[in-house]
Amino acid sequence: MSNDSAAGNGEVWDVIVVGAGPAGSAAARAAAAAGRRTLLLEKAELPRYKTCGGGIIGPSRDALPPGFELPLSDRVHAVTFSLNGRMTRTRRSKRMLFGLVNRPEFDDALARSAVAAGARLRTGAQVSRVEQHGPAVPDRRTVAVVLAGGETLLARAVVGADGSASRIGTHVGVRLEQVDLGLESEIPVPPEVAADWKGRVLLDWGPLPGSYGWVFPKGDTLTVGVIAQRGEGAATRQYLSDLVGRLGLAGFEPSVSSGHLTRCRTDDSPLSRGRVLVCGDAAGLLEPWTREGISFALRSGRLAGEWAVRIADAGDAVDARRQALNYTFAVKSGLGAEMGVGRRLLEVFSRRPRLFHTALVGFRPAWVAFTRITRGSTSLAGIVRTSPMARRVLEMRERP
């Protein structure tokens, strides 16, 4: 997508969104659809690569803009589960469980949807900082967004969606309690290998506490990755190497090998400061057990865009603060509740991965719950609310 030369000439935008990933594009679309002058800033040129498995589960699909056509590279109907390469079993479903996308195409399409709603997109725009006081800020209703080259843009509200190493998150004071290292390889494979994986993914519960690996097929390429707690870099790299070797993929040269850190917020971490909100990875919003972040990005981004409009309209600091608190409540009551359950599940899973594996491959209610979550008919929090068995599993974290 080409640059839009929205220059800093003293004009004041209603909303500036920093970062054109799923969270940022969702925020920009929501603000633009409400009729506000919205600028979406992205430091890279689109489309750009993003380290991510690219699984689109039900909550992600349901949060997409109306009429949005998912650029699916595969539709998943089967899951192969294994426990560090052992006890392998495949479970199948007649209905699609979830879809797979390549992030460059997906993110580009989301940014285009924001532009179609009326947002202006400017790529190649690296944000160095935001200021809410000082000589760059003409009044208390304005936020200054300072670019790396020194250019200053002005807005009534700012949404930080600039990823897990967010500069806007630092400004807001986001605090993190769980940091994990994800490693991933995009491996081109011949047609006969691709055919074996079509419509089927692998989930392997790994050798490190809380770790797991995956294979996601995307046409003639397999996305193979692992994730584990940060601080175990060598062991995590070895896990990925072992996984690739076990699957007979070591002879194929990856087209891309990458890594990234995922970060989960503390439960009391702020989501706003003045007229600045954060969402998605910038806010540390993702599911702690699976580290799934796309649905959290889309949902929190849309909320951030909607409340940024209210903050932009606020006539004073008290009203702006009220709207920011309403945004925080909306995020914590929904996504925050899901994260709370995810944290408890991660504790149990880290100690008893075999229990989870045995349940998913041999206990039909567990498999049904998995399919309902991936399709979006319920959530982890919903399962715990309605299932006495799930509640008993969570109680295991209290046991030695």
Side-chain angles (χ1 to χ4, degrees), residues 65-221:
F68 184 87
E69 291 190 16
L70 271 169
L72 292 180
S73 56
D74 205 346
R75 292 168 170 79
V76 176
H77 289 80
V79 182
T80 296
F81 297 101
S82 59
L83 183 64
N84 197 22
R86 299 173 288 109
M87 301 172 63
T88 302
R89 181 177 174 187
T90 299
R91 303 206 70 156
R92 301 183 183 277
S93 172
K94 292 181 180 179
R95 295 173 55 200
M96 186 179 85
L97 297 170
F98 57 95
L100 300 175
V101 297
N102 288 305
R103 282 293 301 275
E105 300 170 11
F106 179 63
D107 288 13
D108 189 47
L110 285 172
R112 290 180 184 277
S113 76
V115 171
R120 297 269 296 278
L121 172 67
R122 180 172 171 180
T123 58
Q126 171 76 55
V127 172
S128 63
R129 66 187 186 278
V130 294
E131 297 179 2
Q132 301 194 65
H133 307 282
V137 184
D139 58 64
R140 294 183 178 182
R141 288 191 61 207
T142 308
V143 181
V145 178
V146 183
L147 304 186
E151 180 183 356
T152 298
L153 305 171
L154 302 176
R156 298 297 183 202
V158 170
V159 176
D162 49 335
S164 60
S166 170
R167 292 176 184 268
I168 313 301
T170 299
H171 172 80
V172 167
V174 172
R175 295 188 297 274
L176 307 165
E177 69 172 4
Q178 176 187 331
V179 182
D180 296 291
L181 171 64
L183 302 175
E184 198 165 70
S185 293
E186 305 285 352
I187 305 178
V189 293
E192 59 272 17
V193 176
D196 181 53
W197 285 97
K198 183 174 176 58
R200 177 175 67 94
V201 301
L202 169 75
L203 295 176
D204 177 76
W205 315 119
L208 302 168
S211 68
Y212 75 97
W214 61 87
V215 178
F216 286 178
K218 298 169 184 175
D220 59 1
T221 299

Side-chain angles (χ1 to χ4, degrees), residues 316-373:
D316 55 41
V318 173
D319 192 16
R321 176 61 176 164
R322 183 184 305 115
Q323 301 304 334
L325 288 173
N326 287 338
Y327 167 68
T328 296
F329 177 77
V331 171
K332 292 186 71 172
S333 62
L335 300 178
E338 293 181 34
M339 290 183 70
V341 173
R343 289 188 186 97
R344 295 158 68 190
L345 277 171
L346 178 63
E347 287 183 43
V348 180
F349 171 71
S350 297
R351 294 161 52 195
R352 304 188 180 193
R354 184 169 184 144
L355 168 70
F356 279 72
H357 179 74
T358 302
L360 283 167
V361 301
F363 185 53
R364 179 169 173 74
W367 167 247
V368 170
F370 177 89
T371 64
R372 292 181 63 208
I373 290 168

